[in-house]
């Protein structure tokens, strides 16, 4: 009788055989639903949604500014000068690059007779305005007809705020300087409004001829002249823009103009978006950390509910590491559900904002799926879930089967194994590194990390103090108070989790309130104790005496102080050219363009 023995099955590596089994068991157990994980999902989803939504909205704003840079700037490049127009060599250089359009902006007073007067942001444009985009008015009138001189008055488009402030209507006339101006239309939208910055009064759009007729352009007048260049397609590339900017600084180093391109149409606005995004991202991360305490509680409750299953698996020979991995997979799968919900809301937020408020926003927004920002939010969610889940799960590794059942009434106090502590430390380090590396200002991010760590330690000490105090208090005779007091310090009490959750939440609210209070205090305390009732700027020297006599006639008992002011820019600092100085960002504005300088013979 001949035959062959059956082949002995080859044993697969443990790593190759366990993972599919663990994943299969995890999915099988999850068929029972997500009962008890409502708080878990809400904490993860809200935190991830906050981070993803803020980041996506910020990306959409920066994308809109980048894509609409040419329209925002009013051309491919803009050269700005303060208090003076471009000289002949400067204008020749600009004209050689492409088509040039001139914009002048200044503050002025619009006088409406008996109805009073109001401060306006006067904007004088040339015949080619706007070169990019469209000027929207109500009623819609072509710019040439809108601003033309007719019936002894120059035309203007006016911000509706001025009409409401002075009780005016379209067709009325005001006087600006020495020129009569007819308000022919309401100003609805300017394509280059962002590039002009924030004004101190309503906009009044007039022609260059009207500005000259006002007589307000005098030596020393605070007028900003902006020369916008529309380049030929061959020169409007990124390399071409950089070459022209470098050539302007080389050929005319003493011009003192501020140069912008369509690639950085409004760098200040972009920086503010980044700062605001970092602030809200840290707030979202704080909410995620507060939710992490809820995650830890949910995982602890999950382990408590699975004690019978854990005991059964261990009694059948399952190693502790396999048991921990099984339930860690379940927890992370549930976390991915919450993360997915948060990412979906965060990704949809720019589209929701654009659909509901896009027509009301004065800034361009380009809704887009910001994959890199969504990826960062995903990492935040995964690392937060991992950090707060490892410790509760790791404790089940070394507890014996009998101990698992006994642990319900007499929990064993032991630290998880080194492997879980190492994994926890690596997860915390990864979360801290992500918060720092993804931040716009890493110094602020490090301060946030330090404050968060200090809050966790301090609140833990507070919780231990409360438990110790409750343990030493006399026992009430009544049953309900006695049980309530005992539950504060009993083994497995939720006191540390409750103190941590409430403490972090209150810390976040107090922090936001303090930021608001400090900003308000900084603005109010920067004002002098005796602020002037009125102040007047840009009074020419030849009219200063006559103006002071007028004030004395109107207010005989008033104290009048005259302070000279001049405009200038720093060209050297500490013996070094100002262009070579890398100043901190919070003070770098001093080196950018002209500054107002006051002086006195003696300190006040």
């Amino acid at each position: 009788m001949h035959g062959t023995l059956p082949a002995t099955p080859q044993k697969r590596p443990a790593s190759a055989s366990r993972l599919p089994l663990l994943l299969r068991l995890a999915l099988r157990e999850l068929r029972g639903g997500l009962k008890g994980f409502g708080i878990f999902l809400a904490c993860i989803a809200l935190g991830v949604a906050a981070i993803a939504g803020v980041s996506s909205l910020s990306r959409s704003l920066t994308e809109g500014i980048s894509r609409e840079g040419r329209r925002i700037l009013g051309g491919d490049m803009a050269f700005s000068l303060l208090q003076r127009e471009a000289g002949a060599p400067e204008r020749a250089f600009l004209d050689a690059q492409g088509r040039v359009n001139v914009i002048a902006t200044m503050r002025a007073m619009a006088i409406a007779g008996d109805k009073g007067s109001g401060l306006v942001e006067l904007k004088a444009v040339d015949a080619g305005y706007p070169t990019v985009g469209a000027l929207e008015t109500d009623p819609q009138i072509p710019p040439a007809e809108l601003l033309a001189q007719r019936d002894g008055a120059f035309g203007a488009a006016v911000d509706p705020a001025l009409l409401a402030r002075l009780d005016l209507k379209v067709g009325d006339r005001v006087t600006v300087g020495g020129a009569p101006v007819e308000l022919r239309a309401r100003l609805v939208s300017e394509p280059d409004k962002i590039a002009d910055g924030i004004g101190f009064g309503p906009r009044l759009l007039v022609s260059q001829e009207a500005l000259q007729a006002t007589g307000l352009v005098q030596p020393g007048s605070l007028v900003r002249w902006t020369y916008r260049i529309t380049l030929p397609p061959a020169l409007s590339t990124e390399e071409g823009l950089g070459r022209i900017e470098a050539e302007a600084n080389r050929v005319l180093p003493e011009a003192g103009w501020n140069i912008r391109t369509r690639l950085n149409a409004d760098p200040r606005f972009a920086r503010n978006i980044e700062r605001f995004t970092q602030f809200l991202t840290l707030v979202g991360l704080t909410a995620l950390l507060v939710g992490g305490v809820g995650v830890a509680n949910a995982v602890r409750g999950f382990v408590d509910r699975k004690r019978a299953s854990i005991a059964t698996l261990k009694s059948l020979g399952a190693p502790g590491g396999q048991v921990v991995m099984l339930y860690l997979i379940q927890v992370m799968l549930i976390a991915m559900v919450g993360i997915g919900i948060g990412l979906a809301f965060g990704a949809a937020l720019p589209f929701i904002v654009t659909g509901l408020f896009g027509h009301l926003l004065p800034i361009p927004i380009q809704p887009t799926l910001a994959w890199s920002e969504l990826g960062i939010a995903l990492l935040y969610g995964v690392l937060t879930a991992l950090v707060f889940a490892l410790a509760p799960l790791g404790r089940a590794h070394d507890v014996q089967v009998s101990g698992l059942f006994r642990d319900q009434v007499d929990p064993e106090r032991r630290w998880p194994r080194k492997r879980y502590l190492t994994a926890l430390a690596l997860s915390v380090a990864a979360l801290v590194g992500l918060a720092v590396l993804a931040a716009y200002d890493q110094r602020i991010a490090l301060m946030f990390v330090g404050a968060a760590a200090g809050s966790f330690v301090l609140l833990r000490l507070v919780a231990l103090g409360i438990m110790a105090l409750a343990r030493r208090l006399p026992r009430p005779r009544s049953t309900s108070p006695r049980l309530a007091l005992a539950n504060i310090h009993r083994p497995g009490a939720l006191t540390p989790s409750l103190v941590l959750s409430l403490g972090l939440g209150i810390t976040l609210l107090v922090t936001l309130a303090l930021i608001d209070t400090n900003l308000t205090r900084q603005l109010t305390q920067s004002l002098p104790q005796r602020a002037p009732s009125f102040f007047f700027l840009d009074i020419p020297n030849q009219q200063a005496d006559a103006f002071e006599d007028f004030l004395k006639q109107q207010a005989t008992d008033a104290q009048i102080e005259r302070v000279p002011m001049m405009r200038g820019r720093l060209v050297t600092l500490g013996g070094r050219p100002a262009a070579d100085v890398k100043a901190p960002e919070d003070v770098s504005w001093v080196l950018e363009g002209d500054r107002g300088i006051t002086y006195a013979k003696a300190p006040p």
Side-chain angles (χ1 to χ4, degrees):
M1 183 174 179
H2 301 280
T4 58
L5 293 173
T8 302
Q10 297 294 323
K11 186 177 181 181
R12 291 183 295 174
S15 60
S17 60
R18 287 182 179 178
L19 186 57
L21 174 62
L22 292 177
L23 184 59
R24 188 163 60 250
L25 290 175
L27 292 174
R28 185 172 298 172
E29 285 209 33
L30 288 177
R31 292 176 184 174
L34 303 179
K35 183 180 179 181
F37 279 95
I39 299 297
F40 181 104
L41 288 173
C43 293
I44 293 293
L46 288 175
V48 172
I51 295 174
V54 169
S55 300
S56 297
L57 192 58
S58 171
R59 177 67 176 275
S60 297
L61 288 172
T62 53
E63 286 284 338
I65 293 175
S66 177
R67 185 168 300 184
E68 299 293 328
R70 195 166 182 267
R71 180 176 65 85
I72 294 172
L73 193 64
D76 295 302
M77 302 188 72
F79 294 74
S80 298
L81 292 168
L82 192 63
Q83 289 189 292
R84 71 177 184 88
E85 299 184 62
E90 297 162 345
R91 187 58 193 264
F93 174 84
L94 298 176
D95 290 333
Q97 310 305 320
R99 188 177 65 181
V100 180
N101 295 97
V102 184
I103 306 291
T105 55
M106 68 178 302
R107 299 184 188 96
M109 297 297 295
I111 303 173
D114 295 338
K115 295 184 177 181
S117 60
L119 179 69
V120 295
E121 289 286 337
L122 195 64
K123 180 176 180 179
V125 300
D126 60 12
Y129 181 85
T131 54
V132 183
L135 176 67
E136 298 182 17
T137 59
D138 179 25
Q140 188 66 42
I141 304 174
E145 180 182 348
L146 174 66
L147 307 180
Q149 184 179 14
R150 188 172 62 240
D151 299 331
F154 294 93
V158 60
D159 189 322
L162 184 65
L163 299 178
R165 185 175 301 172
L166 300 181
D167 191 23
L168 300 173
K169 61 182 183 299
V170 173
D172 288 344
R173 292 190 178 189
V174 296
T175 302
V176 180
V181 176
E182 182 181 3
L183 309 178
R184 294 176 182 166
R186 295 179 180 86
L187 186 58
V188 177
S189 175
E190 303 168 73
D192 54 348
K193 183 176 182 179
I194 298 179
D196 293 333
I198 300 176
F200 289 87
R203 174 75 76 202
L204 187 65
L205 186 69
V206 298
S207 64
Q208 289 281 341
E209 293 76 14
L211 176 64
Q212 296 300 328
T214 62
L216 297 176
V217 181
Q218 301 290 336
S221 297
L222 298 180
V223 185
R224 180 175 294 276
W225 298 90
T226 303
Y227 298 83
R228 297 171 178 174
I229 305 178
T230 304
L231 300 173
L235 297 178
S236 62
T237 62
E238 184 174 350
E239 295 78 8
L241 296 173
R243 185 167 57 252
I244 294 174
E245 183 175 357
E247 184 70 9
N249 291 326
R250 185 186 66 83
V251 176
L252 300 165
E254 300 298 328
W257 46 28
N258 180 37
I259 304 175
R260 288 182 292 168
T261 71
R262 58 177 175 82
L263 302 178
N264 62 339
D266 197 340
R268 293 172 300 177
F269 185 71
R271 285 197 300 267
N272 289 335
I273 290 178
E274 291 177 342
R275 290 170 177 169
F276 191 62
T277 300
Q278 173 172 315
F279 172 71
L280 291 183
T281 298
L282 292 179
V283 172
L285 181 56
T286 304
L288 196 57
L289 293 178
V290 175
V293 182
V295 170
N297 292 336
V299 173
R300 182 185 301 172
F302 174 71
V303 172
D304 290 339
R305 293 194 302 271
K306 294 296 182 180
R307 289 184 184 278
S309 299
I310 295 174
T312 303
L313 289 171
K314 283 200 168 187
S315 64
L316 293 176
Q322 188 174 6
V323 172
V324 172
M325 185 59 65
L326 169 64
Y327 291 106
L328 180 61
I329 291 174
Q330 290 189 49
V331 169
M332 296 310 296
L333 288 175
I334 297 172
M336 291 306 298
V337 174
I339 292 172
I341 296 172
L343 290 178
F345 177 81
L349 184 62
F351 297 91
I352 296 174
V353 171
T354 303
L356 295 178
F357 309 107
H359 63 288
L360 300 176
L361 295 176
I363 54 179
I365 180 172
Q366 181 65 39
T368 183
L369 290 175
W371 296 110
S372 59
E373 284 76 7
L374 294 177
I376 292 176
L378 170 65
L379 287 177
Y380 273 125
V382 170
L383 290 174
T384 302
L386 192 60
V387 165
F388 288 94
L390 278 173
L393 289 173
R395 285 190 64 252
H397 182 105
D398 291 319
V399 181
Q400 301 299 323
V401 175
S402 59
L404 283 170
F405 293 108
R406 186 176 64 249
D407 203 43
Q408 297 183 26
V409 294
D410 185 18
E412 186 176 354
R413 301 178 181 274
R414 67 167 63 191
W415 288 90
R417 285 196 174 194
K418 289 184 178 180
R419 70 176 73 170
Y420 303 114
L421 294 178
T422 301
L424 177 60
L426 292 175
S427 301
V428 171
L431 184 60
V432 170
L434 180 63
V436 173
L437 294 177
Y440 172 74
D441 190 331
Q442 295 182 351
R443 181 176 59 89
I444 294 179
L446 287 172
M447 293 171 60
F448 168 82
V449 170
S455 299
F456 271 81
V457 173
L458 181 61
L459 291 173
R460 180 67 178 180
L461 294 177
V462 170
L464 293 177
I466 293 175
M467 295 176 68
L469 179 62
R471 193 178 296 113
R472 288 168 173 76
L473 288 176
R475 300 294 182 266
R477 295 184 178 182
S478 179
T479 303
S480 297
R482 185 169 64 252
L483 291 176
L485 185 63
N487 278 331
I488 294 176
H489 63 82
R490 66 173 174 80
L494 294 177
T495 304
S497 299
L498 290 175
V499 170
L500 190 57
S501 299
L502 291 175
L504 288 176
I506 294 174
T507 299
L508 176 60
L509 295 177
V510 171
T511 300
L512 295 176
L514 287 176
I515 291 174
D516 176 70
T517 303
N518 287 334
L519 288 175
T520 304
R521 183 181 303 168
Q522 183 176 2
L523 292 175
T524 55
Q525 288 185 350
S526 62
L527 297 175
Q529 293 183 353
R530 294 184 60 193
S533 302
F534 295 93
F535 64 93
F536 303 88
L537 299 176
D538 200 18
I539 307 298
N541 286 336
Q542 62 271 22
Q543 299 179 8
D545 293 335
F547 184 73
E548 184 171 343
D549 293 339
F550 169 78
L551 293 179
K552 291 179 179 179
Q553 294 175 5
Q554 301 300 318
T556 55
D557 297 330
Q559 179 182 354
I560 302 173
E561 295 183 6
R562 291 170 58 174
V563 179
M565 188 185 74
M566 61 178 292
R567 303 295 298 186
R569 66 187 180 95
L570 295 176
V571 294
T572 60
L573 186 63
R576 297 172 55 194
D580 298 337
V581 176
K582 302 298 181 183
E585 190 173 340
D586 56 340
V587 296
S588 61
W589 58 271
V590 178
L591 304 178
E592 298 174 358
D594 294 347
R595 303 264 71 88
I597 302 173
T598 60
Y599 52 92
K601 294 182 179 180

